[in-house]
């Protein structure tokens, strides 16, 4: 018995097509089973009715969601002015740590101390210390604003991490690139500026994307020192309505932003891995 | 006066003496080939001449001027001595043309249209006219290495150093790179090559030096060094290298 030659496919292609159809079918069946089990089993738990009322209340969700979205603008704002400051400060610290000039030795020590200190303290503690401490000096308005000092706390902490990522990027550029550039007569500074940094920064874009995503979430920590951003706003609603649904609403808003960003970072990573091979 | 004169050059890495008192004269327009097994000090010697390595002892004179005086700014020396590496080392984030334009612009401030045309002329001369806009990863190994040569030539160096520039190439691409060297020799460029291409050295070199354990064991015109080597080490090496 001969198999019919479908659309001129080779034996191998026919076999692979059949395999693909089989895999898809198995994946679809198993997914359907798991989803069905959750839908059927979770409502059978004794506390489900209560949880549904306090976390998944449709009316509360509809009532509070627009206000949460409004509060999220504050997160976005803080994010938008912190991120560039972090990138610049992080790069400067990375360069300071790799400087060889003896005159800049204090800068190198400072860079090392900076990264050690701010990577070693929990973000929330830095936010508290700077966010409450500095306005406590009795500065006049607007210099006592928690927006300024809270943002600074985030900037310092994140710059420490970002600096280390930039340094790993600088290390990832092969030393032969430096040799080649030096052999052409470029100065050390020119080599860094025109040959090493452009490659280093490109190499660490995916890793820095992940830092941006983490920052977007950590902006919420500023709620502890005052700004009514989305997390704080959800807390206000929770107290007002005695219902946790606003927190779910806030989580959904975060996910709307972070999931595409995470996917994009993963895509960049995968692309980079492919290019290296 | 020799274009380039080395006297008693010593280079150590920790306990290992990689260059052990090397004397070498290179006349204007000469092509000198350094041969010998890997680890004999060929590459390190070239890196010393380009001041990429700091020598422990001895001196190197370019046009009679000692370029190894401690405290001398290496930049001005390096812009007079071009170097090409085994692994091309093109800057991957720039096109072939941008690779060649970078150093003249930064070091010499050559930024005009005529400077640019002159460098484009180098690409044309070495058969790379249609490759100027390509990034290194879009070029074959032979093309990349020729771009690397053009990049070094763009600085208008007095001397060119070539560090095993065909060793990473597929055999069928070696010829196009060696042709560039012959072209440069015809134009009167002073060149030093570290090479494993014995046939090329035999045909094209004015002088061949055999290095072993950081010393020049034997040197002479290729006609005598290849056909009637005096030293036992040279004979042994050549017997293995030329089959």
């Amino acid at each position: 018995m001969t198999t019919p030659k479908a659309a001129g496919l080779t034996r191998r292609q026919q076999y692979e097509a059949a395999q693909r159809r089989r895999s898809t079918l198995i994946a679809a069946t198993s997914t359907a089973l798991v989803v069905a089990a959750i839908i059927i089993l979770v409502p059978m738990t004794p506390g489900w009715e209560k949880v549904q009322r306090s976390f998944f209340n449709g009316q509360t969700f509809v009532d509070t969601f627009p206000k949460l979205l409004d509060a999220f603008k504050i997160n976005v704002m803080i994010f938008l002015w912190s991120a560039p400051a972090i990138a610049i400060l992080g790069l400067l610290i990375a360069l300071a740590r790799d400087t060889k000039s003896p005159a800049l030795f204090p800068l190198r020590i400072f860079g090392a101390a900076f990264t050690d200190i701010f990577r070693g303290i929990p973000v929330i503690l830095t936010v508290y210390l700077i966010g409450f401490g500095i306005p406590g000096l009795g500065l006049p308005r607007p210099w006592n604003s928690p927006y300024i000092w809270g943002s600074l706390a985030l900037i310092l902490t994140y710059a420490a991490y970002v600096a280390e990522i930039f340094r790993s990027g600088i290390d990832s550029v092969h030393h032969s690139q430096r040799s080649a550039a030096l052999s052409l007569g470029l100065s050390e500074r020119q080599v860094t500026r025109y040959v090493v940094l452009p490659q280093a920064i490109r190499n660490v874009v995916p890793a820095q994307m992940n830092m941006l995503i983490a920052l977007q979430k950590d902006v919420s920590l500023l709620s502890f020192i005052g700004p009514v951003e989305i997390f704080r706003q959800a807390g206000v609603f929770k107290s007002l309505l005695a219902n946790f649904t606003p927190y779910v609403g806030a989580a959904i808003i975060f996910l709307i932003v972070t999931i595409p960003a995470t996917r994009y970072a993963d895509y960049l990573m995968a692309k980079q891995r492919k290019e290296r091979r | 006066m020799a274009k380039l004169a080395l006297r008693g050059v010593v280079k150590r890495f920790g306990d290992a003496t990689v260059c052990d008192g090397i004397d070498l004269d290179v006349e204007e327009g000469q092509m000198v080939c350094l041969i010998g097994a890997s680890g004999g000090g060929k590459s390190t010697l070239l890196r010393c001449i380009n001041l990429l390595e700091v020598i422990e002892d001895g001196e190197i004179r370019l046009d009679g001027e000692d370029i190894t005086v401690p405290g001398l700014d290496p930049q001005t020396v390096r812009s007079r001595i071009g170097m090409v590496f085994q692994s091309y080392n093109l800057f991957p984030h720039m096109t072939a043309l941008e690779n060649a334009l970078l150093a003249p612009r930064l070091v010499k401030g050559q930024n005009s249209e005529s400077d640019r045309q002159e460098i484009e002329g180098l690409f044309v001369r070495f058969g790379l006219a249609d490759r100027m806009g390509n990034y290194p990863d879009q070029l074959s190994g032979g093309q990349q290495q020729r771009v690397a040569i053009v990049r070094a030539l763009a600085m208008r160096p007095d001397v060119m150093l070539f560090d095993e520039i065909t060793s990473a190439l597929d055999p069928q691409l070696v010829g196009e790179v060696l042709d560039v060297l012959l072209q440069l020799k015809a134009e009167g460029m002073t060149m030093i090559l570290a090479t494993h291409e014995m046939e090329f050295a035999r045909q094209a070199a004015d002088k061949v030096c055999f290095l072993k354990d950081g010393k020049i064991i034997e040197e002479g015109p290729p006609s005598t060094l290849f056909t009637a080597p005096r030293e036992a080490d040279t004979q042994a090496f050549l017997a293995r290298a030329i089959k």
Side-chain angles (χ1 to χ4, degrees):
Chain A
M1 199 176 85
T2 54
T3 41
K5 267 230 162 120
L9 291 180
T10 67
R11 209 168 46 164
R12 168 64 55 184
Q13 285 166 331
Q14 284 178 41
Y15 173 77
E16 280 169 357
Q19 287 287 307
R20 267 198 300 280
R21 278 195 297 275
R22 209 173 108 89
S23 308
T24 313
L25 188 67
I26 292 174
T29 313
S30 79
T31 309
L33 281 175
V34 170
V35 170
I38 292 171
I39 290 173
I40 295 165
L41 293 178
V42 171
M44 286 167 72
T45 54
W48 169 242
E49 287 232 345
K50 257 195 278 173
V51 168
Q52 193 182 21
R53 242 182 293 124
S54 52
F55 282 87
F56 303 103
N57 186 314
Q59 192 53 49
T60 310
F61 184 86
V62 173
D63 290 346
T64 57
F65 198 78
K67 284 255 172 59
L68 289 175
L69 218 48
D70 258 359
F72 190 64
K73 283 186 198 147
I74 293 189
N75 293 61
V76 173
M77 205 171 66
I78 295 172
F79 173 83
L80 285 181
W81 71 52
S82 299
I86 289 165
I88 293 167
L89 184 61
L91 187 57
L92 289 178
I93 289 167
L95 291 173
R97 290 201 66 176
D98 286 334
T99 181
K100 286 186 204 105
S101 151
L104 299 179
F105 183 73
L107 210 60
R108 213 166 88 199
I109 295 285
F110 169 80
F114 184 96
T115 44
D116 281 357
I117 290 171
F118 286 104
R119 285 196 307 164
I121 305 176
V123 195
I124 183 65
L125 212 54
T126 310
V127 169
Y128 262 78
L129 289 176
I130 294 179
F132 283 138
I134 294 184
L137 295 170
L139 301 173
R141 277 168 66 87
W143 295 105
N144 58 359
S145 160
Y147 285 93
I148 297 177
W149 302 110
S151 302
L152 181 71
L154 286 179
I155 290 167
L156 294 176
T157 305
Y158 271 80
Y161 285 98
V162 163
E164 287 305 288
I165 295 175
F166 276 133
R167 280 184 76 207
S168 75
I170 291 170
D171 284 345
S172 75
V173 178
H174 199 267
H175 59 83
S176 62
Q177 287 282 311
R178 191 170 270 282
S179 290
L182 285 175
S183 80
L184 289 166
L186 270 63
S187 67
E188 291 279 352
R189 180 187 288 248
Q190 288 168 333
V191 173
T192 302
R193 161 72 182 79
Y194 293 97
V195 176
V196 176
L197 274 189
Q199 298 183 57
I201 291 174
R202 202 162 306 190
N203 288 351
V204 297
V205 163
Q208 302 290 31
M209 275 291 291
N210 284 325
M211 293 307 292
L212 282 181
I213 294 162
L215 172 68
Q216 175 60 54
K217 294 181 294 173
D218 277 353
V219 166
S220 270
L221 294 174
L222 297 203
S223 66
F224 289 100
I225 59 167
V228 182
E229 48 67 73
I230 186 168
F231 176 65
R232 178 76 165 250
Q233 183 64 57
V236 170
F237 281 132
K238 180 213 67 178
S239 309
L240 224 54
L241 307 170
N243 193 293
F244 288 101
T245 306
Y247 283 137
V248 175
I252 289 173
I253 291 173
F254 272 110
L255 289 177
I256 289 170
V257 175
T258 51
I259 288 182
T262 316
R263 290 288 110 218
Y264 185 60
D266 284 356
Y267 161 77
L268 288 180
M269 292 257 206
K271 200 172 127 197
Q272 203 167 66
R273 262 199 303 278
K274 225 163 95 188
E275 279 168 4
R276 291 236 171 106
R277 221 181 302 132
Chain B
M1 182 177 61
K3 183 81 187 164
L4 193 71
L6 282 64
R7 289 293 173 270
V9 170
V10 174
K11 175 65 196 172
R12 294 189 197 93
F13 291 116
D15 290 338
T17 304
V18 188
C19 295
D20 193 2
I22 288 189
D23 298 322
L24 178 65
D25 282 313
V26 183
E27 302 298 330
E28 173 112 45
Q30 258 191 341
M31 178 192 272
V32 173
C33 285
L34 309 176
I35 62 169
S38 301
K42 308 187 295 292
S43 293
T44 306
L45 186 62
L46 294 182
R47 291 177 66 87
C48 287
I49 295 172
N50 205 16
L51 307 186
L52 288 172
E53 305 290 350
V54 178
I55 63 173
E56 259 83 17
D57 199 5
E59 59 179 48
I60 300 174
R61 293 183 172 276
L62 177 62
D63 286 328
E65 176 202 356
D66 188 354
I67 59 171
T68 50
V69 180
L72 188 89
D73 176 23
Q75 251 188 283
T76 43
V77 175
R78 289 187 191 128
S79 59
R80 294 173 59 195
I81 304 178
M83 182 151 179
V84 184
F85 301 83
Q86 178 177 349
S87 49
Y88 331 135
N89 301 356
L90 293 178
F91 308 134
H93 58 298
M94 299 179 191
T95 63
L97 182 60
E98 286 163 356
N99 262 276
L101 290 174
L102 182 73
R105 174 165 65 83
L106 293 180
V107 180
K108 295 181 167 176
Q110 295 179 339
N111 215 357
S112 71
E113 189 55 35
S114 67
D115 295 326
R116 187 195 174 90
Q117 279 170 2
E118 200 172 323
I119 288 169
E120 287 181 352
L122 287 172
F123 281 89
V124 176
R125 226 166 79 198
F126 296 108
L128 293 161
D130 52 344
R131 295 292 172 198
M132 286 190 282
N134 287 116
Y135 284 88
D137 63 3
Q138 299 166 324
L139 301 174
S140 74
Q143 288 166 344
Q144 287 190 58
Q145 196 57 294
R146 284 186 288 151
V147 171
I149 294 171
V150 166
R151 179 175 70 174
L153 289 174
M155 284 297 285
R156 305 244 151 253
D158 296 342
V159 177
M160 285 284 285
L161 310 174
F162 299 92
D163 187 5
E164 298 190 19
I165 60 166
T166 56
S167 297
L169 294 176
D170 289 339
Q172 74 268 24
L173 300 178
V174 168
E176 64 184 73
V177 173
L178 295 182
D179 285 345
V180 172
L181 298 182
L182 291 176
Q183 205 174 330
L184 285 176
K185 181 179 155 74
E187 290 166 13
M189 177 60 79
T190 310
M191 295 185 274
I192 309 180
L193 280 68
T195 187
H196 291 299
E197 298 290 335
M198 294 304 150
E199 197 46 45
F200 179 78
R202 186 209 295 267
Q203 287 172 13
D206 297 300
K207 176 153 85 175
V208 179
C209 302
F210 170 65
L211 272 79
K212 184 170 183 255
D213 300 332
K215 292 190 180 73
I216 292 182
I217 303 287
E218 183 168 356
E219 66 173 80
S223 52
T224 54
L225 192 123
F226 282 109
T227 48
R230 289 186 318 270
E231 303 290 330
D233 280 336
T234 319
Q235 291 161 3
F237 172 76
L238 288 176
R240 262 180 287 113
I242 302 170
K243 290 266 162 64

